């Protein structure tokens, strides 16, 4: 994959593919899950052919999601560890929301908001997986007591709503912060984008002469 | 029977609108199972198979008359046999015809996510409409009596229909028709309660002090009722629940969580939209690009100075 000259690589091709497999699974899981969660959404089952098909496919999408998310986790967890910059950034959230990013303390590859999204999903997806297995009627309908399944179903729907709320924030941030969508679709950002939103990450890349996404990358920056 | 609707619905799963309900001049029906008259002959179990064209696999004999050993997609009613030693040391053989109770407030219907997969007719019968069933098994979690069973072949949920097809055309359920001792009666719920009252009085005269009617108010009463000699301890009869109720977990999931979750999601989406209108996009400026370029050039100068 080639990137335009003078740009910084934010996400490698493998990362992007991995991200969108996860994203598509998540959207389909949300659509099918909502259809079962509330009657006003049941019409969404038509997107899957029928209610039966939807019920059958949802858990398999879930399994795919877990595997796919694991790939993202391995690639992202280190850059999502919380540090002092994040606390400072979070304290200036009002300025962030007001687009006055010049006045906000600089952060590394991910900001506190992104880290909350990351760890939120990293926590909720395993919960959805375990509870989802317990309520998977076809294979595990007789594996546990009905009371256990009642608990699992309640937790599964609660966790799903939590994940959807995080997802709304995630998607809105991508629309709001211009250039983010391109970073995940085509992989690159402009130096100004990196400077504005992730200054410490940018400075790390500049110091090492790396084109991204990590400062220890051996490739040299193209100009 | 979904297409041939001869009765009104009073409840329909996963539906917010009022179901068709003009034909409301319908009596509530009930089946009364008088456990004290039952001889455990299983004629009802056979009649159910015959009328509904069910042929479940026979299971191995395990030292009791119960066969199969549990309800299954092809066994909608099952005779359960319990041996009980009373206070006087007498052995009592408590035989109960198990199956759907046709609750007035059905937990299965409350839990079901598929519109119209479970309906309740104006006469009180709770029926599963297979063509609408998606096979999720939520009804299993909703039911306080552990009744619905999902078929592994067609992924549809099955249980006793109270012969809604027969009742709809004025016939009594097949089990009622076949019972040789008159232990199963069918009629309007009021008539069945009156009849049960007489029978209970008789049982009390015969020394069953705790005889009584099983019509649990926790689920709004049921359209299948039992006359029990030990109505104080229903669980003696192969685990008939003493106080059946829709699990509080199911109540929270289907009652509280649904509106709260929807409000939360709507709030998040509207919040994002409002933010977009108020604050607008966060765009990288020419100044950002200039700063970035300066830093990159400085790094390059420093780098070449070093080497
Ligand atoms: C991680 C693996 C997952 C597994 C194994 C799984 C499995 C299941 C199963 C078995 C059901 C019951 C219906 C059916 O049989 O299809 C279900 C329902 C549901 N799932 Fe999942 N799921 C997973 C992930 C997710 C995700 C990521 C979401 C959305 C964010 C989600 C949202 C829902 C919702 C909303 C319901 C309906 C709950 C209700 O009716 O209240 N699931 N899931
Ligand atoms: S006994 Fe169970 S399956 Fe029958 S109506 Fe009541 S809740 Fe539904
Ligand atoms: S298995 Fe069928 S009847 Fe039972 S809750 Fe699911 S859709 Fe409704």
């Amino acid at each position: 994959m080639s990137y335009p000259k003078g740009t910084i690589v934010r996400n490698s091709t493998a990362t992007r593919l991995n991200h969108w497999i996860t994203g598509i699974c998540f959207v389909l899981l949300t659509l099918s899950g909502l259809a079962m969660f509330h009657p006003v959404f049941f019409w969404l089952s038509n997107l899957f052919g029928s209610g039966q098909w939807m019920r059958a496919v949802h858990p398999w999408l879930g399994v795919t999601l877990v595997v796919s998310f694991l790939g993202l986790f391995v690639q992202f967890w280190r850059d999502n560890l919380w540090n002092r910059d994040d606390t400072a950034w979070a304290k200036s959230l009002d300025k962030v929301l007001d687009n006055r990013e010049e006045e906000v303390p600089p952060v590394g590859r991910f900001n506190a908001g992104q880290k909350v999204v990351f760890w939120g999903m990293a926590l909720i997806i395993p919960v959805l997986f375990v509870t989802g297995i317990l309520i998977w009627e076809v294979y595990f309908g007789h594996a546990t007591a009905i009371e256990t399944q009642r608990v699992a179903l309640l937790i599964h729907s609660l966790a799903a709503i939590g994940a959807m709320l995080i997802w709304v924030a995630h998607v809105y941030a991508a629309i709001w912060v211009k250039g983010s969508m391109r970073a995940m679709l085509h992989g690159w950002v402009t130096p100004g984008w990196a400077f504005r939103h992730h200054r410490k990450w940018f400075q790390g890349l500049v110091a090492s002469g790396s084109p991204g996404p990590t400062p220890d990358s051996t490739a040299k920056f193209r100009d | 029977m979904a297409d041939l609707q001869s009765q009104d619905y009073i409840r329909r799963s996963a539906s917010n609108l009022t179901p068709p309900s003009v034909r409301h001049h319908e009596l509530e029906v009930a089946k009364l199972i008088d456990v004290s008259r039952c001889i455990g002959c299983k004629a009802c179990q056979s009649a159910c198979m015959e009328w509904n064209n069910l042929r479940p696999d026979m299971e191995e004999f395990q030292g009791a008359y119960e066969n199969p050993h549990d309800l299954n997609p092809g066994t909608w009613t099952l005779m359960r046999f319990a041996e009980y030693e009373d206070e006087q040391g007498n052995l009592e053989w408590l035989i109960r015809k198990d199956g759907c109770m046709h609750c007035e407030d059905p937990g299965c219907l409350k839990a079901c996510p598929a519109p119209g997969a479970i309906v309740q007719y104006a006469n009180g019968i709770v029926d599963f409409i297979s063509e609408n069933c998606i096979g999720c098994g939520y009804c299993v979690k909703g039911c306080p009596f552990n009744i619905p069973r999902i078929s592994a072949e067609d992924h549809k949920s099955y249980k006793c229909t109270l012969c809604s097809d027969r009742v709809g055309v004025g016939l009594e359920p097949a089990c009622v028709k076949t019972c040789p001792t008159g232990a199963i009666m069918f009629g309007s719920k009021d008539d069945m309660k009156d009849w049960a009252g007489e029978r209970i009085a008789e049982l009390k005269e015969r020394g069953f002090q705790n005889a009584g009617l099983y019509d649990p108010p926790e689920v709004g009463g049921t359209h299948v009722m039992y006359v029990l000699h030990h109505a104080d301890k229903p669980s003696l009869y192969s685990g008939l629940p003493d106080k059946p109720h829709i699990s509080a977990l199911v109540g929270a999931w289907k009652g509280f969580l649904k509106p709260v979750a929807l409000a939360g999601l709507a709030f998040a989406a509207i919040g994002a939209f409002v933010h977009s209108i108020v604050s607008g996009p966060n765009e990288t400026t020419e100044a950002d690009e200039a700063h970035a370029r300066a830093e990159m050039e400085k790094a390059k100068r420093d780098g070449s100075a070093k080497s």
Side-chain angles (χ1 to χ4, degrees), chain B residues 13 108 111-114 117-118 128 132-140 148 150 155-157:
Chain B
S13 59
C108 55
C112 178
I118 305 181
F128 286 10
N132 294 332
C133 170
I134 66 170
C136 60
Y138 288 7
C139 47
V140 176
I150 317 289
H155 307 291
K156 302 277 181 188
S157 189

PDB file of all heavy atoms in Angstrom, chain B residues 13 108 111-114 117-118 128 132-140 148 150 155-157, ligand 3:
ATOM      1  N   SER B  13     -47.222 -11.341  21.467  1.00  0.00           N
ATOM      2  CA  SER B  13     -45.834 -11.086  21.864  1.00  0.00           C
ATOM      3  C   SER B  13     -45.205  -9.969  21.041  1.00  0.00           C
ATOM      4  O   SER B  13     -45.522  -9.805  19.858  1.00  0.00           O
ATOM      5  CB  SER B  13     -45.006 -12.366  21.704  1.00  0.00           C
ATOM      6  OG  SER B  13     -45.059 -12.808  20.364  1.00  0.00           O
ATOM      7  N   CYS B 108     -43.847 -16.545  29.182  1.00  0.00           N
ATOM      8  CA  CYS B 108     -43.281 -16.884  27.874  1.00  0.00           C
ATOM      9  C   CYS B 108     -43.560 -15.751  26.892  1.00  0.00           C
ATOM     10  O   CYS B 108     -42.683 -15.308  26.153  1.00  0.00           O
ATOM     11  CB  CYS B 108     -43.881 -18.194  27.364  1.00  0.00           C
ATOM     12  SG  CYS B 108     -45.692 -18.186  27.286  1.00  0.00           S
ATOM     13  N   ALA B 111     -41.572 -12.579  27.483  1.00  0.00           N
ATOM     14  CA  ALA B 111     -40.154 -12.648  27.127  1.00  0.00           C
ATOM     15  C   ALA B 111     -39.933 -12.693  25.614  1.00  0.00           C
ATOM     16  O   ALA B 111     -38.877 -12.314  25.129  1.00  0.00           O
ATOM     17  CB  ALA B 111     -39.519 -13.879  27.769  1.00  0.00           C
ATOM     18  N   CYS B 112     -40.916 -13.158  24.869  1.00  0.00           N
ATOM     19  CA  CYS B 112     -40.721 -13.447  23.442  1.00  0.00           C
ATOM     20  C   CYS B 112     -40.435 -12.180  22.635  1.00  0.00           C
ATOM     21  O   CYS B 112     -41.152 -11.191  22.737  1.00  0.00           O
ATOM     22  CB  CYS B 112     -41.969 -14.141  22.896  1.00  0.00           C
ATOM     23  SG  CYS B 112     -41.869 -14.489  21.129  1.00  0.00           S
ATOM     24  N   PRO B 113     -39.371 -12.190  21.812  1.00  0.00           N
ATOM     25  CA  PRO B 113     -39.010 -11.006  21.036  1.00  0.00           C
ATOM     26  C   PRO B 113     -39.666 -10.956  19.653  1.00  0.00           C
ATOM     27  O   PRO B 113     -39.536  -9.952  18.953  1.00  0.00           O
ATOM     28  CB  PRO B 113     -37.507 -11.168  20.866  1.00  0.00           C
ATOM     29  CG  PRO B 113     -37.318 -12.648  20.746  1.00  0.00           C
ATOM     30  CD  PRO B 113     -38.371 -13.269  21.651  1.00  0.00           C
ATOM     31  N   ALA B 114     -40.314 -12.030  19.236  1.00  0.00           N
ATOM     32  CA  ALA B 114     -40.828 -12.098  17.863  1.00  0.00           C
ATOM     33  C   ALA B 114     -42.309 -11.733  17.841  1.00  0.00           C
ATOM     34  O   ALA B 114     -43.122 -12.401  18.484  1.00  0.00           O
ATOM     35  CB  ALA B 114     -40.617 -13.499  17.297  1.00  0.00           C
ATOM     36  N   ALA B 117     -45.350 -14.411  17.768  1.00  0.00           N
ATOM     37  CA  ALA B 117     -44.936 -15.813  17.908  1.00  0.00           C
ATOM     38  C   ALA B 117     -45.664 -16.464  19.066  1.00  0.00           C
ATOM     39  O   ALA B 117     -45.840 -17.682  19.101  1.00  0.00           O
ATOM     40  CB  ALA B 117     -43.423 -15.920  18.100  1.00  0.00           C
ATOM     41  N   ILE B 118     -46.096 -15.671  20.027  1.00  0.00           N
ATOM     42  CA  ILE B 118     -46.916 -16.183  21.122  1.00  0.00           C
ATOM     43  C   ILE B 118     -48.126 -15.268  21.236  1.00  0.00           C
ATOM     44  O   ILE B 118     -47.990 -14.039  21.246  1.00  0.00           O
ATOM     45  CB  ILE B 118     -46.149 -16.219  22.459  1.00  0.00           C
ATOM     46  CG1 ILE B 118     -44.849 -17.029  22.317  1.00  0.00           C
ATOM     47  CG2 ILE B 118     -47.021 -16.797  23.566  1.00  0.00           C
ATOM     48  CD1 ILE B 118     -44.032 -17.148  23.597  1.00  0.00           C
ATOM     49  N   PHE B 128     -48.536 -20.876  20.740  1.00  0.00           N
ATOM     50  CA  PHE B 128     -47.314 -20.534  20.004  1.00  0.00           C
ATOM     51  C   PHE B 128     -47.613 -20.623  18.515  1.00  0.00           C
ATOM     52  O   PHE B 128     -48.088 -21.645  18.032  1.00  0.00           O
ATOM     53  CB  PHE B 128     -46.182 -21.535  20.333  1.00  0.00           C
ATOM     54  CG  PHE B 128     -45.568 -21.347  21.698  1.00  0.00           C
ATOM     55  CD1 PHE B 128     -46.142 -20.487  22.638  1.00  0.00           C
ATOM     56  CD2 PHE B 128     -44.415 -22.025  22.054  1.00  0.00           C
ATOM     57  CE1 PHE B 128     -45.573 -20.311  23.898  1.00  0.00           C
ATOM     58  CE2 PHE B 128     -43.837 -21.865  23.309  1.00  0.00           C
ATOM     59  CZ  PHE B 128     -44.417 -21.005  24.226  1.00  0.00           C
ATOM     60  N   ASN B 132     -44.070 -17.628  13.190  1.00  0.00           N
ATOM     61  CA  ASN B 132     -43.444 -16.391  13.646  1.00  0.00           C
ATOM     62  C   ASN B 132     -42.293 -16.623  14.623  1.00  0.00           C
ATOM     63  O   ASN B 132     -41.587 -15.686  14.994  1.00  0.00           O
ATOM     64  CB  ASN B 132     -44.481 -15.491  14.335  1.00  0.00           C
ATOM     65  CG  ASN B 132     -45.536 -14.996  13.362  1.00  0.00           C
ATOM     66  OD1 ASN B 132     -45.250 -14.869  12.165  1.00  0.00           O
ATOM     67  ND2 ASN B 132     -46.732 -14.750  13.842  1.00  0.00           N
ATOM     68  N   CYS B 133     -42.136 -17.868  15.063  1.00  0.00           N
ATOM     69  CA  CYS B 133     -41.134 -18.162  16.095  1.00  0.00           C
ATOM     70  C   CYS B 133     -39.738 -18.169  15.470  1.00  0.00           C
ATOM     71  O   CYS B 133     -39.526 -18.727  14.401  1.00  0.00           O
ATOM     72  CB  CYS B 133     -41.455 -19.517  16.714  1.00  0.00           C
ATOM     73  SG  CYS B 133     -40.172 -20.166  17.789  1.00  0.00           S
ATOM     74  N   ILE B 134     -38.778 -17.517  16.136  1.00  0.00           N
ATOM     75  CA  ILE B 134     -37.414 -17.471  15.605  1.00  0.00           C
ATOM     76  C   ILE B 134     -36.473 -18.431  16.330  1.00  0.00           C
ATOM     77  O   ILE B 134     -35.288 -18.512  16.004  1.00  0.00           O
ATOM     78  CB  ILE B 134     -36.834 -16.033  15.619  1.00  0.00           C
ATOM     79  CG1 ILE B 134     -36.646 -15.526  17.050  1.00  0.00           C
ATOM     80  CG2 ILE B 134     -37.716 -15.081  14.819  1.00  0.00           C
ATOM     81  CD1 ILE B 134     -35.855 -14.209  17.119  1.00  0.00           C
ATOM     82  N   GLY B 135     -36.973 -19.105  17.343  1.00  0.00           N
ATOM     83  CA  GLY B 135     -36.175 -20.148  17.998  1.00  0.00           C
ATOM     84  C   GLY B 135     -35.127 -19.658  18.972  1.00  0.00           C
ATOM     85  O   GLY B 135     -34.137 -20.337  19.228  1.00  0.00           O
ATOM     86  N   CYS B 136     -35.344 -18.476  19.549  1.00  0.00           N
ATOM     87  CA  CYS B 136     -34.330 -17.897  20.422  1.00  0.00           C
ATOM     88  C   CYS B 136     -34.310 -18.528  21.805  1.00  0.00           C
ATOM     89  O   CYS B 136     -33.311 -18.435  22.513  1.00  0.00           O
ATOM     90  CB  CYS B 136     -34.578 -16.404  20.563  1.00  0.00           C
ATOM     91  SG  CYS B 136     -36.196 -16.048  21.285  1.00  0.00           S
ATOM     92  N   GLY B 137     -35.421 -19.115  22.224  1.00  0.00           N
ATOM     93  CA  GLY B 137     -35.468 -19.729  23.550  1.00  0.00           C
ATOM     94  C   GLY B 137     -35.757 -18.755  24.683  1.00  0.00           C
ATOM     95  O   GLY B 137     -35.621 -19.119  25.857  1.00  0.00           O
ATOM     96  N   TYR B 138     -36.159 -17.544  24.368  1.00  0.00           N
ATOM     97  CA  TYR B 138     -36.476 -16.594  25.440  1.00  0.00           C
ATOM     98  C   TYR B 138     -37.689 -17.059  26.253  1.00  0.00           C
ATOM     99  O   TYR B 138     -37.770 -16.809  27.450  1.00  0.00           O
ATOM    100  CB  TYR B 138     -36.770 -15.197  24.872  1.00  0.00           C
ATOM    101  CG  TYR B 138     -35.588 -14.432  24.338  1.00  0.00           C
ATOM    102  CD1 TYR B 138     -34.334 -15.020  24.225  1.00  0.00           C
ATOM    103  CD2 TYR B 138     -35.719 -13.099  23.969  1.00  0.00           C
ATOM    104  CE1 TYR B 138     -33.256 -14.300  23.735  1.00  0.00           C
ATOM    105  CE2 TYR B 138     -34.642 -12.374  23.488  1.00  0.00           C
ATOM    106  CZ  TYR B 138     -33.408 -12.977  23.360  1.00  0.00           C
ATOM    107  OH  TYR B 138     -32.355 -12.256  22.881  1.00  0.00           O
ATOM    108  N   CYS B 139     -38.652 -17.711  25.551  1.00  0.00           N
ATOM    109  CA  CYS B 139     -39.854 -18.174  26.246  1.00  0.00           C
ATOM    110  C   CYS B 139     -39.495 -19.140  27.371  1.00  0.00           C
ATOM    111  O   CYS B 139     -40.139 -19.177  28.415  1.00  0.00           O
ATOM    112  CB  CYS B 139     -40.821 -18.848  25.269  1.00  0.00           C
ATOM    113  SG  CYS B 139     -40.042 -20.037  24.156  1.00  0.00           S
ATOM    114  N   VAL B 140     -38.416 -19.930  27.144  1.00  0.00           N
ATOM    115  CA  VAL B 140     -37.965 -20.878  28.162  1.00  0.00           C
ATOM    116  C   VAL B 140     -37.573 -20.111  29.433  1.00  0.00           C
ATOM    117  O   VAL B 140     -37.858 -20.541  30.549  1.00  0.00           O
ATOM    118  CB  VAL B 140     -36.760 -21.686  27.635  1.00  0.00           C
ATOM    119  CG1 VAL B 140     -36.212 -22.611  28.705  1.00  0.00           C
ATOM    120  CG2 VAL B 140     -37.154 -22.462  26.385  1.00  0.00           C
ATOM    121  N   PRO B 148     -41.824 -24.601  27.843  1.00  0.00           N
ATOM    122  CA  PRO B 148     -41.535 -24.629  26.394  1.00  0.00           C
ATOM    123  C   PRO B 148     -40.261 -25.408  26.084  1.00  0.00           C
ATOM    124  O   PRO B 148     -39.322 -25.422  26.876  1.00  0.00           O
ATOM    125  CB  PRO B 148     -41.350 -23.149  26.027  1.00  0.00           C
ATOM    126  CG  PRO B 148     -41.940 -22.370  27.156  1.00  0.00           C
ATOM    127  CD  PRO B 148     -41.765 -23.216  28.367  1.00  0.00           C
ATOM    128  N   ILE B 150     -37.531 -26.206  22.724  1.00  0.00           N
ATOM    129  CA  ILE B 150     -37.165 -25.809  21.371  1.00  0.00           C
ATOM    130  C   ILE B 150     -36.715 -27.050  20.607  1.00  0.00           C
ATOM    131  O   ILE B 150     -35.868 -27.799  21.082  1.00  0.00           O
ATOM    132  CB  ILE B 150     -36.002 -24.792  21.385  1.00  0.00           C
ATOM    133  CG1 ILE B 150     -36.198 -23.724  22.465  1.00  0.00           C
ATOM    134  CG2 ILE B 150     -35.805 -24.165  20.005  1.00  0.00           C
ATOM    135  CD1 ILE B 150     -37.274 -22.736  22.219  1.00  0.00           C
ATOM    136  N   HIS B 155     -35.950 -25.588  15.054  1.00  0.00           N
ATOM    137  CA  HIS B 155     -35.708 -24.388  15.870  1.00  0.00           C
ATOM    138  C   HIS B 155     -36.979 -23.589  16.115  1.00  0.00           C
ATOM    139  O   HIS B 155     -37.007 -22.375  15.974  1.00  0.00           O
ATOM    140  CB  HIS B 155     -34.611 -23.520  15.242  1.00  0.00           C
ATOM    141  CG  HIS B 155     -33.357 -24.291  14.963  1.00  0.00           C
ATOM    142  ND1 HIS B 155     -32.552 -24.757  15.968  1.00  0.00           N
ATOM    143  CD2 HIS B 155     -32.811 -24.727  13.810  1.00  0.00           C
ATOM    144  CE1 HIS B 155     -31.549 -25.429  15.443  1.00  0.00           C
ATOM    145  NE2 HIS B 155     -31.692 -25.435  14.124  1.00  0.00           N
ATOM    146  N   LYS B 156     -38.031 -24.314  16.447  1.00  0.00           N
ATOM    147  CA  LYS B 156     -39.277 -23.674  16.840  1.00  0.00           C
ATOM    148  C   LYS B 156     -39.593 -24.158  18.254  1.00  0.00           C
ATOM    149  O   LYS B 156     -39.202 -25.262  18.645  1.00  0.00           O
ATOM    150  CB  LYS B 156     -40.421 -24.086  15.905  1.00  0.00           C
ATOM    151  CG  LYS B 156     -40.165 -23.764  14.432  1.00  0.00           C
ATOM    152  CD  LYS B 156     -40.501 -22.338  14.113  1.00  0.00           C
ATOM    153  CE  LYS B 156     -40.271 -22.033  12.637  1.00  0.00           C
ATOM    154  NZ  LYS B 156     -40.427 -20.602  12.359  1.00  0.00           N
ATOM    155  N   SER B 157     -40.328 -23.325  18.974  1.00  0.00           N
ATOM    156  CA  SER B 157     -40.680 -23.670  20.345  1.00  0.00           C
ATOM    157  C   SER B 157     -42.043 -24.367  20.373  1.00  0.00           C
ATOM    158  O   SER B 157     -42.952 -23.970  19.641  1.00  0.00           O
ATOM    159  CB  SER B 157     -40.727 -22.408  21.192  1.00  0.00           C
ATOM    160  OG  SER B 157     -40.871 -22.745  22.538  1.00  0.00           O
TER     161      SER B 157
HETATM  162  S1  LIG C   3     -38.349 -19.446  20.838  1.00  0.00           S
HETATM  163 FE1  LIG C   3     -40.044 -18.691  19.555  1.00  0.00          FE
HETATM  164  S2  LIG C   3     -41.804 -18.574  20.919  1.00  0.00           S
HETATM  165 FE2  LIG C   3     -39.976 -18.788  22.212  1.00  0.00          FE
HETATM  166  S3  LIG C   3     -39.444 -16.672  22.720  1.00  0.00           S
HETATM  167 FE3  LIG C   3     -38.235 -17.188  20.899  1.00  0.00          FE
HETATM  168  S4  LIG C   3     -39.514 -16.523  19.163  1.00  0.00           S
HETATM  169 FE4  LIG C   3     -40.846 -16.544  20.965  1.00  0.00          FE
END
